[in-house]
Amino acid sequence: MDTVDNKNKIGRYLITAALPYANGLKHIGHLAGAYLPADIYVRYLKAQKREVVFVCGSDEHGTAIPIQAMKEGTTAQAIIDKYHPIIEQNFKDLGIAFDIYHRTSAPLHHETAQEFFQVLNDNGDLEVKESEQYYDEATDTFLADRYIKGTCPVCANDNAYGDQCEKCGSTLSPDMLINPVSTLSGNAPIKKATKHWYLPLNRHEEFLRDWILKEHKDDWRTSVVGQCKSWIDGGLQPRAVTRDLDWGIRLPLTVNSKPLTEGAPLLAVEGQRNAVSKDDAGKVLYVWFDAPIGYISATKQWALNNDKDWKPYWYAPDTKLVHFVGKDNIVFHCIIFPVMLKLHGNILPTNVPANEFMNLEGDKMSTSRGWSIEMDDYIKEWVKKENGGDGMADVLRYYLTQIAPETKDSEFTWKGFQDANNSELVNIFGNFVNRTYVLMHKLCGGKVPAFHNDIIDDADKQLILDIKASVVKVENLLEGYKFRDALFEVIDLARKGNKYMQDKEPWMVAKRQTVEGVLSAEGKKSIDNCLHLCLQLTANLTILINPFLPFTAAKLCKMMKVVERMLEWENAGRIDLLKVGYSLREPQLLFRKIENEEIEAQLDKLKSSIVNRQQIKVDTVEEIKTQKELEPVGAEIVFDDFAKIDLRVGTIVAAEKVPKADKLLQLSVDLGFETRTIVSGIALHFAPEDIIGKQVTVVVNLAPRKMRGIESNGMILMAEDTEGKLHFINPENAINNGASVR
RNA sequence: CGCGAGGUAGAGCAGCGGUAGCUCGUCGGGCUCAUAACCCGAAGGUCAGAGGUUCGAACCCUCUCCUCGCAACCA
C-alpha cells in the first residue's frame, strides 16, 4: 500500500483515466470504473496541495471508428468530431475535472506517437515479419478481421466475422471461415503478403515477472496481479504494432531518424532491415500502440497550455504515475504499455487500481443492446431538469462510489440509487447539516456560538476525537484506493454528528432551562457548545466530502460563507474553522428526495429502450444489404383488403423533431380537406427543414396512435433501399393535395 | 480439466483458523429541533455444494457447480 508516510517522497503525481473510445456515448459503468475514482483521487491530492496532473482524452483510431462511420453513413472524421465534444461535456457536467481532455487525432499526438515508434525501432526493440493476409482487390485494402465475413466452421452461421462468430460465440481467425467475403466490396478476398512491425513482449518476461509478481505482489489489487500472472504464465508473444489501414497514425517515413528522401532505398539500408521505407506508406500504428501514448501527448498539451514542463511527469523517478482503468484494460496498462515505457526510457506506473464491472438491473451493461444508462442520458434526465441541478450529479457520484466494483462486479439498480439518496444523502448527511443550521438560527441568532471550555464534557471530547480520527481514516483509505470505504467513513461521521446532537438535545435544554421567557446561563452555554461543535463538524464534513461530492462542497462553502480555500486538506480535523460570532446564511436543502414515480419512469425507459434498440439494430453495410435483399414477398391478400386502405397525396407544411425521441419527427401534412398531425420515425434520415414542402403519400384512414404523447393521424409511405436508406413515395409532378392513390 | 477474479441475512458489502458482522431495508416501542434523526428491541444466514486437515473452518487443502473478465489484429 502507498502509505501516508512515504507520500512526502513523491515529487508529483500524474493520474490518467482510460481514454474513452470515441465511437459512441459512454455509460455510467465507464464512469464508475475509471473516471470517478480517478477524479476523487485527484481532488483529494489537490486538496493536499500536491503537484498533480490529471490527463485523459478521446481515443480516436482503430477499426471500430470506420465501422461506426459505415453504420451511421458518414466518415470516420465525422464520427470522432461528433462524439469527442459530447463525451468531454458529459464529463464536465458530472464534475470529472481533467486538467486536460485531449484527443488522439491531434497533430501533437501523431508526432508523439511517431517519435515513440521511431525510438523503439531505431533501438532495435521491434521486429519485422512478413505474413499473408486477406486483401480486397476491389477496394485495394488489406482486411481487418472484422471486415471479413463467411460461414462459421462451428455452427454454419453464414454471417460469422473473421474474429468471432456472434451466433455460437466461437473465437475464429479469418482462415477458418468458409467462403470468406469482404464486407467492403462483397468480393472474395485474396491472400497477399504484407510486412508488419512487432513488439516482442517475450523478450521482457523476466522484467515483468520481477516487476509485477514480486515488487507489486502486495500493493496492487489481487485481481490485477492475478490477471497479469495469467498472461505472463501463458507465454508472451510478439504483438503487431502496425497494420494495413487508412485510419490511424502513419508510420514515420524516416531512415536512421532522418526523413526519407526521394530515391531512398525501398527497403532498409544495410543493417537497418527494420527501417521504414516508402513502401510502407499505407500502414498505420496499431491503435493499442498509439492510444496509451495519448497520455503522454495529453501531458505535453497540458504543459503547453499552462506554460509548464511536461518532461518530469514522464521521466523523473519521483513522479507517481497511476492509471485508472476497468478490468478489461489491465493487460494494456500493466504489461504492454509498461514494456513500451521501459524501452522508451520513461517511468513506470506506480499502481493500476483497476475496477471490476458494474451490471445494471441484473444484466451486463451494453450500449449496443440498449441496456445501459449513458452519462448523456443521466445528465438530461436528472441534472438539467427544473428540480435537478449540480446536486444530482453528486447523487450519481455518491451512489456509484458507494457501489464501486472495487473487488468484484457490482450492480446498479434504480431502487438502490433511490435508497442511497433518500436514506443516506438526504436523511443522514443533508439532515444533519439542515438541523444544525435550523437550530443555530433558532437558538443562536444565526451566528456561530462561542465554545465554553469550562463546561466541556465527554460527549464533546469524543466528537472532537471522532472528527480527527475520521480524517486519518479517510486519508488512509484514499491513499489505498479504497474509495467506497472512504466515502462510508465520511457518512459515518455525519451519523455520529446526528447522534451527538440527539444526546445533547439542545432543543430540550432550551425548553427546560427557560424560566419566564429567560434562558439560564448554563442552558445557554450548553446549547452554544453543542451547536458550535456541530457547525465545526459541518465544516469538516465539507472538506471530507469535497473529493466525492464537489458540487455539494461548493454549496456548503456558500452556506458557511467561507472561501474555497477552506477545503484544503490541512484544515481537516480543525475545530476552529468557523469563527465565533460569524453570521451564517439561512439553511438551504442540499439534496432532495427521489420519488417512486421517478424511479419507475427510469425503469420503464430502460425496458423500452432495449426493445427499440433491437428493432433498429443495424450492423455493417453488408448486413443491411443482405437483410433487405432477403425480405420475402408478403402473404397474398384479396382486392377488398387493399381497397380498405385510403391513400392520399399531401404536402408537408411543418416538421419538427419530437423531444426525447431519436427517430421521430412530428409533421403537419396538408391533405386538401384538412391539415393533420402525423408522427413519423424518419428523424435519422431527414432533417425537419429539408422535407417541408415535399409531397408525400399518406394512409389517411389508419387508426390514430399516440407516440411519445403525440397523437399520430396517419402514416407516410416510404421505400427502403438495400442500404437501409428511406425514400418518399410521391407523385412524379406536383398535384393537388387530397388526391386519391390507387 | 485454458487462465484470472468472485459466489456470506431482502439488497450492497466486511471478515480470511476460535464458533458470523456492518450499512440500507423490514417489524415493534421510545423521543422530537430537522427533508426527521437518534435510542431500545425483534425478525432474517445450513457463510454456493461435497469431501478433507484441525481440539476447532466462512477462513487452509481437494473436487464440483454458478457468475464475470481475459485467451493476442479486441479498446
Side-chain angles (χ1 to χ4, degrees), chain A residues 145-176:
Chain A
D145 289 8
R146 271 271 143 179
Y147 284 129
I148 303 169
K149 279 179 122 176
T151 304
C152 173
V154 180
C155 72
N157 165 29
D158 286 339
N159 285 315
Y161 291 103
D163 56 345
Q164 194 186 29
C165 170
E166 300 203 326
K167 197 163 176 192
C168 67
S170 310
T171 304
L172 306 173
S173 73
D175 289 332
M176 294 160 76

PDB file of all heavy atoms in Angstrom, chain A residues 145-176:
ATOM      1  N   ASP A 145      -9.898  -8.290 -39.482  1.00  0.00           N
ATOM      2  CA  ASP A 145     -10.758  -9.460 -39.248  1.00  0.00           C
ATOM      3  C   ASP A 145     -12.245  -9.120 -39.265  1.00  0.00           C
ATOM      4  O   ASP A 145     -13.065  -9.886 -39.739  1.00  0.00           O
ATOM      5  CB  ASP A 145     -10.422 -10.097 -37.895  1.00  0.00           C
ATOM      6  CG  ASP A 145      -9.071 -10.786 -37.948  1.00  0.00           C
ATOM      7  OD1 ASP A 145      -8.386 -10.610 -38.973  1.00  0.00           O
ATOM      8  OD2 ASP A 145      -8.716 -11.473 -36.992  1.00  0.00           O
ATOM      9  N   ARG A 146     -12.541  -7.978 -38.721  1.00  0.00           N
ATOM     10  CA  ARG A 146     -13.941  -7.567 -38.634  1.00  0.00           C
ATOM     11  C   ARG A 146     -14.556  -7.276 -40.001  1.00  0.00           C
ATOM     12  O   ARG A 146     -15.763  -7.176 -40.143  1.00  0.00           O
ATOM     13  CB  ARG A 146     -14.056  -6.310 -37.774  1.00  0.00           C
ATOM     14  CG  ARG A 146     -14.243  -6.578 -36.316  1.00  0.00           C
ATOM     15  CD  ARG A 146     -15.710  -6.710 -35.956  1.00  0.00           C
ATOM     16  NE  ARG A 146     -15.885  -7.744 -34.946  1.00  0.00           N
ATOM     17  CZ  ARG A 146     -17.065  -8.066 -34.411  1.00  0.00           C
ATOM     18  NH1 ARG A 146     -18.164  -7.462 -34.797  1.00  0.00           N
ATOM     19  NH2 ARG A 146     -17.148  -9.026 -33.529  1.00  0.00           N
ATOM     20  N   TYR A 147     -13.704  -7.061 -40.992  1.00  0.00           N
ATOM     21  CA  TYR A 147     -14.189  -6.714 -42.327  1.00  0.00           C
ATOM     22  C   TYR A 147     -14.414  -7.952 -43.185  1.00  0.00           C
ATOM     23  O   TYR A 147     -14.740  -7.852 -44.351  1.00  0.00           O
ATOM     24  CB  TYR A 147     -13.202  -5.793 -43.042  1.00  0.00           C
ATOM     25  CG  TYR A 147     -13.226  -4.362 -42.555  1.00  0.00           C
ATOM     26  CD1 TYR A 147     -12.061  -3.695 -42.190  1.00  0.00           C
ATOM     27  CD2 TYR A 147     -14.430  -3.668 -42.480  1.00  0.00           C
ATOM     28  CE1 TYR A 147     -12.084  -2.385 -41.754  1.00  0.00           C
ATOM     29  CE2 TYR A 147     -14.469  -2.359 -42.046  1.00  0.00           C
ATOM     30  CZ  TYR A 147     -13.284  -1.715 -41.684  1.00  0.00           C
ATOM     31  OH  TYR A 147     -13.325  -0.415 -41.256  1.00  0.00           O
ATOM     32  N   ILE A 148     -14.150  -9.123 -42.588  1.00  0.00           N
ATOM     33  CA  ILE A 148     -14.331 -10.355 -43.344  1.00  0.00           C
ATOM     34  C   ILE A 148     -15.484 -11.146 -42.746  1.00  0.00           C
ATOM     35  O   ILE A 148     -15.580 -11.297 -41.525  1.00  0.00           O
ATOM     36  CB  ILE A 148     -13.046 -11.216 -43.302  1.00  0.00           C
ATOM     37  CG1 ILE A 148     -11.870 -10.398 -43.830  1.00  0.00           C
ATOM     38  CG2 ILE A 148     -13.227 -12.489 -44.110  1.00  0.00           C
ATOM     39  CD1 ILE A 148     -10.529 -11.037 -43.584  1.00  0.00           C
ATOM     40  N   LYS A 149     -16.358 -11.609 -43.626  1.00  0.00           N
ATOM     41  CA  LYS A 149     -17.457 -12.449 -43.165  1.00  0.00           C
ATOM     42  C   LYS A 149     -17.440 -13.762 -43.929  1.00  0.00           C
ATOM     43  O   LYS A 149     -16.905 -13.834 -45.035  1.00  0.00           O
ATOM     44  CB  LYS A 149     -18.798 -11.747 -43.406  1.00  0.00           C
ATOM     45  CG  LYS A 149     -19.135 -10.732 -42.357  1.00  0.00           C
ATOM     46  CD  LYS A 149     -20.452 -10.097 -42.690  1.00  0.00           C
ATOM     47  CE  LYS A 149     -21.429 -10.294 -41.565  1.00  0.00           C
ATOM     48  NZ  LYS A 149     -22.698  -9.606 -41.803  1.00  0.00           N
ATOM     49  N   GLY A 150     -18.050 -14.762 -43.329  1.00  0.00           N
ATOM     50  CA  GLY A 150     -18.107 -16.049 -44.014  1.00  0.00           C
ATOM     51  C   GLY A 150     -18.910 -17.017 -43.187  1.00  0.00           C
ATOM     52  O   GLY A 150     -19.563 -16.633 -42.211  1.00  0.00           O
ATOM     53  N   THR A 151     -18.834 -18.259 -43.570  1.00  0.00           N
ATOM     54  CA  THR A 151     -19.594 -19.274 -42.854  1.00  0.00           C
ATOM     55  C   THR A 151     -18.774 -19.805 -41.684  1.00  0.00           C
ATOM     56  O   THR A 151     -17.601 -20.145 -41.839  1.00  0.00           O
ATOM     57  CB  THR A 151     -19.955 -20.432 -43.797  1.00  0.00           C
ATOM     58  OG1 THR A 151     -20.656 -19.885 -44.922  1.00  0.00           O
ATOM     59  CG2 THR A 151     -20.837 -21.442 -43.107  1.00  0.00           C
ATOM     60  N   CYS A 152     -19.415 -19.854 -40.544  1.00  0.00           N
ATOM     61  CA  CYS A 152     -18.739 -20.315 -39.329  1.00  0.00           C
ATOM     62  C   CYS A 152     -18.469 -21.819 -39.419  1.00  0.00           C
ATOM     63  O   CYS A 152     -19.399 -22.587 -39.701  1.00  0.00           O
ATOM     64  CB  CYS A 152     -19.612 -20.009 -38.116  1.00  0.00           C
ATOM     65  SG  CYS A 152     -18.968 -20.723 -36.596  1.00  0.00           S
ATOM     66  N   PRO A 153     -17.243 -22.239 -39.201  1.00  0.00           N
ATOM     67  CA  PRO A 153     -16.915 -23.664 -39.289  1.00  0.00           C
ATOM     68  C   PRO A 153     -17.531 -24.473 -38.145  1.00  0.00           C
ATOM     69  O   PRO A 153     -17.624 -25.691 -38.222  1.00  0.00           O
ATOM     70  CB  PRO A 153     -15.387 -23.690 -39.199  1.00  0.00           C
ATOM     71  CG  PRO A 153     -15.041 -22.446 -38.462  1.00  0.00           C
ATOM     72  CD  PRO A 153     -16.076 -21.425 -38.819  1.00  0.00           C
ATOM     73  N   VAL A 154     -17.966 -23.772 -37.109  1.00  0.00           N
ATOM     74  CA  VAL A 154     -18.508 -24.485 -35.947  1.00  0.00           C
ATOM     75  C   VAL A 154     -20.018 -24.679 -36.072  1.00  0.00           C
ATOM     76  O   VAL A 154     -20.530 -25.789 -35.924  1.00  0.00           O
ATOM     77  CB  VAL A 154     -18.187 -23.726 -34.638  1.00  0.00           C
ATOM     78  CG1 VAL A 154     -18.749 -24.465 -33.442  1.00  0.00           C
ATOM     79  CG2 VAL A 154     -16.678 -23.546 -34.507  1.00  0.00           C
ATOM     80  N   CYS A 155     -20.722 -23.574 -36.351  1.00  0.00           N
ATOM     81  CA  CYS A 155     -22.188 -23.672 -36.323  1.00  0.00           C
ATOM     82  C   CYS A 155     -22.831 -23.421 -37.678  1.00  0.00           C
ATOM     83  O   CYS A 155     -24.045 -23.367 -37.790  1.00  0.00           O
ATOM     84  CB  CYS A 155     -22.763 -22.715 -35.288  1.00  0.00           C
ATOM     85  SG  CYS A 155     -22.656 -20.978 -35.754  1.00  0.00           S
ATOM     86  N   ALA A 156     -22.009 -23.185 -38.711  1.00  0.00           N
ATOM     87  CA  ALA A 156     -22.511 -22.991 -40.077  1.00  0.00           C
ATOM     88  C   ALA A 156     -23.315 -21.707 -40.266  1.00  0.00           C
ATOM     89  O   ALA A 156     -24.009 -21.541 -41.255  1.00  0.00           O
ATOM     90  CB  ALA A 156     -23.335 -24.203 -40.536  1.00  0.00           C
ATOM     91  N   ASN A 157     -23.206 -20.793 -39.300  1.00  0.00           N
ATOM     92  CA  ASN A 157     -23.834 -19.484 -39.463  1.00  0.00           C
ATOM     93  C   ASN A 157     -23.145 -18.743 -40.622  1.00  0.00           C
ATOM     94  O   ASN A 157     -21.930 -18.647 -40.681  1.00  0.00           O
ATOM     95  CB  ASN A 157     -23.673 -18.717 -38.143  1.00  0.00           C
ATOM     96  CG  ASN A 157     -23.960 -17.232 -38.290  1.00  0.00           C
ATOM     97  OD1 ASN A 157     -24.747 -16.831 -39.140  1.00  0.00           O
ATOM     98  ND2 ASN A 157     -23.310 -16.440 -37.456  1.00  0.00           N
ATOM     99  N   ASP A 158     -23.943 -18.200 -41.548  1.00  0.00           N
ATOM    100  CA  ASP A 158     -23.375 -17.553 -42.735  1.00  0.00           C
ATOM    101  C   ASP A 158     -22.790 -16.182 -42.457  1.00  0.00           C
ATOM    102  O   ASP A 158     -22.095 -15.616 -43.291  1.00  0.00           O
ATOM    103  CB  ASP A 158     -24.463 -17.395 -43.812  1.00  0.00           C
ATOM    104  CG  ASP A 158     -24.785 -18.727 -44.449  1.00  0.00           C
ATOM    105  OD1 ASP A 158     -23.927 -19.622 -44.366  1.00  0.00           O
ATOM    106  OD2 ASP A 158     -25.892 -18.863 -45.013  1.00  0.00           O
ATOM    107  N   ASN A 159     -23.104 -15.618 -41.291  1.00  0.00           N
ATOM    108  CA  ASN A 159     -22.674 -14.245 -41.032  1.00  0.00           C
ATOM    109  C   ASN A 159     -21.603 -14.139 -39.941  1.00  0.00           C
ATOM    110  O   ASN A 159     -21.595 -13.211 -39.159  1.00  0.00           O
ATOM    111  CB  ASN A 159     -23.884 -13.395 -40.638  1.00  0.00           C
ATOM    112  CG  ASN A 159     -24.735 -13.068 -41.853  1.00  0.00           C
ATOM    113  OD1 ASN A 159     -24.205 -12.691 -42.896  1.00  0.00           O
ATOM    114  ND2 ASN A 159     -26.027 -13.266 -41.725  1.00  0.00           N
ATOM    115  N   ALA A 160     -20.708 -15.115 -39.893  1.00  0.00           N
ATOM    116  CA  ALA A 160     -19.643 -15.065 -38.887  1.00  0.00           C
ATOM    117  C   ALA A 160     -18.579 -14.068 -39.318  1.00  0.00           C
ATOM    118  O   ALA A 160     -18.281 -13.925 -40.508  1.00  0.00           O
ATOM    119  CB  ALA A 160     -19.030 -16.441 -38.710  1.00  0.00           C
ATOM    120  N   TYR A 161     -18.016 -13.353 -38.340  1.00  0.00           N
ATOM    121  CA  TYR A 161     -16.932 -12.418 -38.623  1.00  0.00           C
ATOM    122  C   TYR A 161     -15.590 -13.136 -38.600  1.00  0.00           C
ATOM    123  O   TYR A 161     -15.479 -14.250 -38.081  1.00  0.00           O
ATOM    124  CB  TYR A 161     -16.902 -11.301 -37.585  1.00  0.00           C
ATOM    125  CG  TYR A 161     -18.068 -10.370 -37.663  1.00  0.00           C
ATOM    126  CD1 TYR A 161     -19.112 -10.462 -36.753  1.00  0.00           C
ATOM    127  CD2 TYR A 161     -18.120  -9.398 -38.657  1.00  0.00           C
ATOM    128  CE1 TYR A 161     -20.191  -9.599 -36.831  1.00  0.00           C
ATOM    129  CE2 TYR A 161     -19.196  -8.531 -38.734  1.00  0.00           C
ATOM    130  CZ  TYR A 161     -20.229  -8.634 -37.822  1.00  0.00           C
ATOM    131  OH  TYR A 161     -21.298  -7.774 -37.897  1.00  0.00           O
ATOM    132  N   GLY A 162     -14.581 -12.444 -39.102  1.00  0.00           N
ATOM    133  CA  GLY A 162     -13.248 -13.022 -39.154  1.00  0.00           C
ATOM    134  C   GLY A 162     -12.624 -13.275 -37.797  1.00  0.00           C
ATOM    135  O   GLY A 162     -11.674 -14.042 -37.669  1.00  0.00           O
ATOM    136  N   ASP A 163     -13.154 -12.614 -36.762  1.00  0.00           N
ATOM    137  CA  ASP A 163     -12.566 -12.817 -35.434  1.00  0.00           C
ATOM    138  C   ASP A 163     -13.475 -13.611 -34.520  1.00  0.00           C
ATOM    139  O   ASP A 163     -13.029 -14.178 -33.546  1.00  0.00           O
ATOM    140  CB  ASP A 163     -12.229 -11.470 -34.781  1.00  0.00           C
ATOM    141  CG  ASP A 163     -13.441 -10.562 -34.695  1.00  0.00           C
ATOM    142  OD1 ASP A 163     -14.449 -10.835 -35.364  1.00  0.00           O
ATOM    143  OD2 ASP A 163     -13.363  -9.564 -33.966  1.00  0.00           O
ATOM    144  N   GLN A 164     -14.757 -13.635 -34.841  1.00  0.00           N
ATOM    145  CA  GLN A 164     -15.685 -14.289 -33.924  1.00  0.00           C
ATOM    146  C   GLN A 164     -17.016 -14.557 -34.612  1.00  0.00           C
ATOM    147  O   GLN A 164     -17.448 -13.807 -35.476  1.00  0.00           O
ATOM    148  CB  GLN A 164     -15.936 -13.373 -32.721  1.00  0.00           C
ATOM    149  CG  GLN A 164     -16.609 -14.088 -31.579  1.00  0.00           C
ATOM    150  CD  GLN A 164     -16.983 -13.123 -30.472  1.00  0.00           C
ATOM    151  OE1 GLN A 164     -17.232 -11.960 -30.703  1.00  0.00           O
ATOM    152  NE2 GLN A 164     -17.034 -13.646 -29.262  1.00  0.00           N
ATOM    153  N   CYS A 165     -17.629 -15.665 -34.236  1.00  0.00           N
ATOM    154  CA  CYS A 165     -18.988 -15.925 -34.697  1.00  0.00           C
ATOM    155  C   CYS A 165     -19.929 -15.486 -33.589  1.00  0.00           C
ATOM    156  O   CYS A 165     -19.862 -15.987 -32.484  1.00  0.00           O
ATOM    157  CB  CYS A 165     -19.205 -17.404 -34.998  1.00  0.00           C
ATOM    158  SG  CYS A 165     -20.948 -17.790 -35.295  1.00  0.00           S
ATOM    159  N   GLU A 166     -20.788 -14.523 -33.889  1.00  0.00           N
ATOM    160  CA  GLU A 166     -21.636 -13.977 -32.840  1.00  0.00           C
ATOM    161  C   GLU A 166     -22.802 -14.904 -32.533  1.00  0.00           C
ATOM    162  O   GLU A 166     -23.497 -14.713 -31.552  1.00  0.00           O
ATOM    163  CB  GLU A 166     -22.126 -12.590 -33.243  1.00  0.00           C
ATOM    164  CG  GLU A 166     -20.939 -11.662 -33.457  1.00  0.00           C
ATOM    165  CD  GLU A 166     -21.270 -10.204 -33.319  1.00  0.00           C
ATOM    166  OE1 GLU A 166     -22.383  -9.816 -33.673  1.00  0.00           O
ATOM    167  OE2 GLU A 166     -20.392  -9.452 -32.854  1.00  0.00           O
ATOM    168  N   LYS A 167     -23.002 -15.891 -33.377  1.00  0.00           N
ATOM    169  CA  LYS A 167     -24.119 -16.800 -33.130  1.00  0.00           C
ATOM    170  C   LYS A 167     -23.732 -17.859 -32.092  1.00  0.00           C
ATOM    171  O   LYS A 167     -24.451 -18.104 -31.137  1.00  0.00           O
ATOM    172  CB  LYS A 167     -24.533 -17.474 -34.434  1.00  0.00           C
ATOM    173  CG  LYS A 167     -25.902 -18.109 -34.366  1.00  0.00           C
ATOM    174  CD  LYS A 167     -26.434 -18.379 -35.763  1.00  0.00           C
ATOM    175  CE  LYS A 167     -27.761 -19.107 -35.725  1.00  0.00           C
ATOM    176  NZ  LYS A 167     -28.143 -19.607 -37.043  1.00  0.00           N
ATOM    177  N   CYS A 168     -22.558 -18.484 -32.330  1.00  0.00           N
ATOM    178  CA  CYS A 168     -22.184 -19.557 -31.396  1.00  0.00           C
ATOM    179  C   CYS A 168     -21.084 -19.122 -30.434  1.00  0.00           C
ATOM    180  O   CYS A 168     -20.731 -19.850 -29.518  1.00  0.00           O
ATOM    181  CB  CYS A 168     -21.752 -20.809 -32.152  1.00  0.00           C
ATOM    182  SG  CYS A 168     -20.223 -20.626 -33.087  1.00  0.00           S
ATOM    183  N   GLY A 169     -20.553 -17.906 -30.639  1.00  0.00           N
ATOM    184  CA  GLY A 169     -19.567 -17.385 -29.707  1.00  0.00           C
ATOM    185  C   GLY A 169     -18.149 -17.887 -29.918  1.00  0.00           C
ATOM    186  O   GLY A 169     -17.246 -17.522 -29.173  1.00  0.00           O
ATOM    187  N   SER A 170     -17.928 -18.712 -30.927  1.00  0.00           N
ATOM    188  CA  SER A 170     -16.586 -19.243 -31.160  1.00  0.00           C
ATOM    189  C   SER A 170     -15.612 -18.143 -31.562  1.00  0.00           C
ATOM    190  O   SER A 170     -15.970 -17.236 -32.304  1.00  0.00           O
ATOM    191  CB  SER A 170     -16.607 -20.274 -32.288  1.00  0.00           C
ATOM    192  OG  SER A 170     -17.604 -21.215 -32.062  1.00  0.00           O
ATOM    193  N   THR A 171     -14.409 -18.251 -31.046  1.00  0.00           N
ATOM    194  CA  THR A 171     -13.352 -17.352 -31.469  1.00  0.00           C
ATOM    195  C   THR A 171     -12.753 -17.912 -32.756  1.00  0.00           C
ATOM    196  O   THR A 171     -12.389 -19.089 -32.820  1.00  0.00           O
ATOM    197  CB  THR A 171     -12.273 -17.257 -30.391  1.00  0.00           C
ATOM    198  OG1 THR A 171     -12.897 -16.843 -29.191  1.00  0.00           O
ATOM    199  CG2 THR A 171     -11.212 -16.260 -30.782  1.00  0.00           C
ATOM    200  N   LEU A 172     -12.663 -17.075 -33.771  1.00  0.00           N
ATOM    201  CA  LEU A 172     -12.205 -17.557 -35.074  1.00  0.00           C
ATOM    202  C   LEU A 172     -11.018 -16.742 -35.559  1.00  0.00           C
ATOM    203  O   LEU A 172     -10.708 -15.693 -35.020  1.00  0.00           O
ATOM    204  CB  LEU A 172     -13.336 -17.416 -36.101  1.00  0.00           C
ATOM    205  CG  LEU A 172     -14.684 -18.055 -35.754  1.00  0.00           C
ATOM    206  CD1 LEU A 172     -15.711 -17.668 -36.794  1.00  0.00           C
ATOM    207  CD2 LEU A 172     -14.550 -19.567 -35.674  1.00  0.00           C
ATOM    208  N   SER A 173     -10.374 -17.241 -36.584  1.00  0.00           N
ATOM    209  CA  SER A 173      -9.437 -16.422 -37.335  1.00  0.00           C
ATOM    210  C   SER A 173      -9.942 -16.443 -38.777  1.00  0.00           C
ATOM    211  O   SER A 173     -10.670 -17.360 -39.165  1.00  0.00           O
ATOM    212  CB  SER A 173      -8.026 -17.000 -37.232  1.00  0.00           C
ATOM    213  OG  SER A 173      -7.926 -18.155 -38.005  1.00  0.00           O
ATOM    214  N   PRO A 174      -9.579 -15.438 -39.579  1.00  0.00           N
ATOM    215  CA  PRO A 174     -10.139 -15.344 -40.935  1.00  0.00           C
ATOM    216  C   PRO A 174      -9.931 -16.628 -41.740  1.00  0.00           C
ATOM    217  O   PRO A 174     -10.781 -16.997 -42.553  1.00  0.00           O
ATOM    218  CB  PRO A 174      -9.367 -14.186 -41.546  1.00  0.00           C
ATOM    219  CG  PRO A 174      -8.960 -13.361 -40.385  1.00  0.00           C
ATOM    220  CD  PRO A 174      -8.714 -14.311 -39.259  1.00  0.00           C
ATOM    221  N   ASP A 175      -8.801 -17.305 -41.496  1.00  0.00           N
ATOM    222  CA  ASP A 175      -8.515 -18.522 -42.249  1.00  0.00           C
ATOM    223  C   ASP A 175      -9.534 -19.625 -42.002  1.00  0.00           C
ATOM    224  O   ASP A 175      -9.693 -20.530 -42.816  1.00  0.00           O
ATOM    225  CB  ASP A 175      -7.131 -19.062 -41.870  1.00  0.00           C
ATOM    226  CG  ASP A 175      -6.047 -18.166 -42.433  1.00  0.00           C
ATOM    227  OD1 ASP A 175      -6.306 -17.531 -43.468  1.00  0.00           O
ATOM    228  OD2 ASP A 175      -4.966 -18.100 -41.820  1.00  0.00           O
ATOM    229  N   MET A 176     -10.203 -19.572 -40.866  1.00  0.00           N
ATOM    230  CA  MET A 176     -11.134 -20.636 -40.520  1.00  0.00           C
ATOM    231  C   MET A 176     -12.476 -20.482 -41.219  1.00  0.00           C
ATOM    232  O   MET A 176     -13.247 -21.436 -41.322  1.00  0.00           O
ATOM    233  CB  MET A 176     -11.353 -20.663 -39.001  1.00  0.00           C
ATOM    234  CG  MET A 176     -10.102 -21.059 -38.225  1.00  0.00           C
ATOM    235  SD  MET A 176     -10.201 -20.548 -36.501  1.00  0.00           S
ATOM    236  CE  MET A 176     -11.315 -21.781 -35.857  1.00  0.00           C
TER     237      MET A 176
END
